[in-house]
Amino acid sequence: MRAFIFPGQGSQAVGMGKTLSEASPAARELFQEVDDALSQHLFRMMVEGPESDLTLTENAQPAIMANAIATLRVMEREGGFSLADKGDYVAGHSLGEYSALCAARAFDLSTTARLLKLRGRAMQAAVPVGEGAMAALLGADIDKAQALAEAAAEGEVCAVANDNDPTQVVISGHRGAIERAVAMVKDHGIKRGVLLPVSAPFHCPLMQPAADAMEEALGKATVSAPLLPVYANVLAGPVADADEIKARLVEQVTGRVRWRESVAAMWGAGVTEFVELGGKVLGPMVKRIAPDATVRSVVTMDDIEGALASF
């Protein structure tokens, strides 16, 4: 069995999508569709930068999605690829869940782009700059991370945001609590704590204003039944019902990204091959979760040709 997976924030880079658009009319068309949906020259920013603008959450989120779906579009239009025929599940890390839903035709492309633009803005606006922070805990499993978060909170928010793999967990919350946690890592048997260069504390209760904004937006959005089941971050399990998809996306804004559990569950369900579209960040995590899995990253035209030949 095969799962197609989609990267999250942090995988953006100036130049993304450039070679794909130069090689493929299908990719160029997709990037133009996203620009039109957002009334913005997002693709120019993806190719030319500046990096400071591309890194802004409201730009990074739709850009990462566009790059991933452009990769899929090239495979479909120029390689005769069918996700429904070649895949069993889709999943994405945080914003990547929207890419997965778009790939599975639960959302159309324009809706996905607009939802991610709004999601990025709402997440950025939920907490004043400087009041929140996130930190990666290296050499930490979920139990150690949870214990550290509870010890460091001291009445503030300090929560596990991303359970990425058996060796990396990300915490999120008030800046003071996160800084206390980083200072306390050795006491909890954790190798290192590294503050992340993010502009807001994602996936924690401080994001409730953004969750409210997404609930309103998703309430108006058209959601179709996906072509194949989508593993929801907050469940670490598959969803296929339109109303449940919306509910889980709202929960996801404040909830934990259960990536380690999602990959383990897919492996347990019989998935032996994971194909990351538009990035190279999830593959190493998958190998740490399911060492015997086959992992493939598809970013370039050469990658696309190799993948199409292997399916």
Side-chain angles (χ1 to χ4, degrees):
M1 294 174 73
R2 182 183 295 120
F4 288 87
I5 57 178
F6 297 84
Q9 200 158 341
S11 59
Q12 72 277 356
V14 173
M16 64 192 299
K18 182 175 186 289
T19 56
L20 206 60
S21 70
E22 289 171 346
S24 168
R28 288 196 296 277
E29 179 184 280
L30 183 134
F31 291 129
Q32 185 61 54
E33 285 177 38
V34 172
D35 278 3
D36 292 344
L38 299 180
S39 300
Q40 177 187 6
H41 294 300
L42 181 66
F43 183 61
R44 183 194 301 166
M45 187 189 301
M46 291 164 63
V47 172
E48 300 176 3
E51 186 176 6
S52 57
D53 288 351
L54 182 59
T55 303
L56 287 174
T57 304
E58 67 174 79
N59 295 324
Q61 294 197 18
I64 292 164
M65 178 279 297
N67 191 54
I69 300 301
T71 308
L72 175 62
R73 178 77 67 89
V74 173
M75 293 168 68
E76 290 173 336
R77 293 278 179 88
E78 299 176 17
F81 172 81
S82 166
L83 188 73
D85 290 344
K86 300 298 185 181
D88 297 284
Y89 298 105
V90 291
H93 190 282
S94 189
L95 82 89
E97 189 169 325
Y98 285 80
S99 305
L101 287 160
C102 182
R105 310 283 176 85
F107 290 130
D108 64 38
L109 179 66
S110 295
T111 298
T112 311
R114 286 191 288 265
L115 284 170
L116 284 173
K117 184 78 173 177
L118 172 66
R119 183 177 183 269
R121 281 180 175 162
M123 292 173 88
Q124 182 65 61
V127 180
V129 174
E131 289 189 13
M134 299 180 76
L137 305 178
L138 308 179
D141 61 23
I142 188 65
D143 293 333
K144 288 179 180 178
Q146 189 67 48
L148 172 63
E150 290 171 4
E154 297 183 10
E156 293 187 310
V157 170
C158 188
V160 172
N162 301 349
D163 180 8
N164 284 336
D165 66 43
T167 68
Q168 187 199 98
V169 179
V170 175
I171 55 174
S172 181
H174 286 109
R175 177 166 289 278
I178 299 302
E179 289 176 346
R180 284 193 295 275
V182 169
M184 295 163 61
V185 290
K186 300 291 187 188
D187 299 337
H188 288 261
I190 295 169
K191 185 177 175 184
R192 270 182 80 201
V194 181
L195 284 170
L196 296 177
V198 295
S199 53
F202 306 134
H203 299 293
C204 80
L206 296 177
M207 287 285 110
Q208 188 58 47
D212 295 342
M214 291 312 296
E215 183 173 25
E216 181 180 352
L218 285 160
K220 300 172 185 173
T222 299
V223 184
S224 303
L227 296 175
L228 61 177
V230 182
Y231 264 71
N233 285 184
V234 295
L235 288 182
V239 293
D241 174 76
D243 288 338
E244 185 171 20
I245 286 169
K246 290 183 179 184
R248 300 312 171 205
L249 288 175
V250 173
E251 289 176 21
Q252 191 220 57
V253 179
T254 57
R256 181 183 303 176
V257 175
R258 297 168 61 184
W259 187 251
R260 175 185 58 84
E261 294 174 86
S262 296
V263 172
M266 284 185 276
W267 174 259
V271 174
T272 57
E273 182 180 2
F274 293 82
V275 182
E276 181 178 359
L277 296 181
K280 297 185 176 182
V281 293
L282 298 180
M285 293 183 196
V286 170
K287 290 297 282 186
R288 288 190 286 271
I289 300 162
D292 294 330
T294 300
V295 174
R296 179 187 289 272
S297 292
V298 183
V299 178
T300 67
M301 289 298 292
D302 286 345
D303 295 337
I304 288 171
E305 289 168 9
L308 290 171
S310 75
F311 297 153

